[in-house]
Amino acid sequence: MASCTLSSLPIISNPTNSSSPTLPWRLNPHNLATSLFGRKLSIRPSSSRRFVSKHRPAIATVLSSLPTLKPERASSEKTPIWSARAIKSFAMAELEARKLKYPNTGTEVLLMGILVEGTSIAAKFLRANGITLFKMREETVKLLGKSDMYYFSPEHPPLTEPAQRALDWAVDEKLKSGENGEITATYLLLGIWSEKDSAGHKIMASLGFDDQKAKELAKSMNEDIVLSHK
């Protein structure tokens, strides 16, 4: 039976990086031979280029505005902008839709997004009135059911018509108020409530939200919580 013998090769550690040993530069190509085929193997000198693991930097998608059915607003300087909390609530809503494997971002997941973001006046008001994220998810599944386990939502599930109208309602109401500042998550929440036939409205009503609570919350539509950093 033929045997294969390999000559030992000295390993020289890189002084600048002890954890990455490299082959010596002056390696004799005749140092390595095999008796299995009766031929000598040639080895080229190792490259001085180090093998460095390339880590791709994390890329975050930042939304500057929310979708609208009125394209003229996109170029208008008079159109108010959404607050950071409202934009984050929208981003979390898309994520909730994907978790539930829903094909669209509806009013029900917009509500979940507000609760997931959690720091806005709207989110605090909902929790103070017993409307939690867990209850919202539970009621959503009861009302809309579960999606097919083999279905995967798109990265940005498109808005349902009621959800889009809720966003536009929020912008319209901000413009009507004549108040300066941003469109807060409270506008978004009340926009959802304005869609009487939407899943979000029905779920809020089933959890005890009503017109009286909506009027109470409307008093703080133009307010937002200011985080103090000490």
Coordinates of all heavy atoms in Angstrom, one line a residue, residues 2 7 14 67 74 110 122:
A2 N 0.6 2.1 -0.9 CA 1.4 3.3 -1.0 C 1.2 4.2 0.2 O 0.1 4.3 0.7 CB 1.1 4.1 -2.3
S7 N 6.6 16.6 4.1 CA 7.6 17.2 4.9 C 7.0 18.3 5.8 O 6.1 19.0 5.4 CB 8.7 17.8 4.0 OG 8.2 18.8 3.2
N14 N 3.1 35.9 12.8 CA 3.2 37.3 12.5 C 3.3 38.1 13.7 O 2.5 38.0 14.6 CB 1.8 37.7 11.8 CG 2.0 39.1 11.2 OD1 2.8 39.9 11.6 ND2 1.1 39.4 10.2
P67 N -46.5 57.8 4.4 CA -47.2 57.7 3.2 C -48.5 58.6 3.1 O -49.1 58.8 4.2 CB -47.6 56.3 3.0 CG -46.6 55.5 3.8 CD -46.3 56.4 5.0
A74 N -46.1 66.2 -0.5 CA -44.7 65.9 -0.4 C -43.7 67.0 -0.7 O -42.6 67.1 -0.1 CB -44.4 64.7 -1.3
L110 N -51.2 49.5 13.3 CA -50.8 50.9 13.6 C -50.9 51.1 15.1 O -50.1 51.7 15.8 CB -51.6 51.9 12.8 CG -51.3 52.0 11.3 CD1 -52.2 53.0 10.7 CD2 -49.9 52.4 11.1
A122 N -49.9 59.2 23.5 CA -50.9 58.2 23.1 C -50.7 56.8 23.6 O -51.7 56.2 24.1 CB -50.9 58.2 21.5

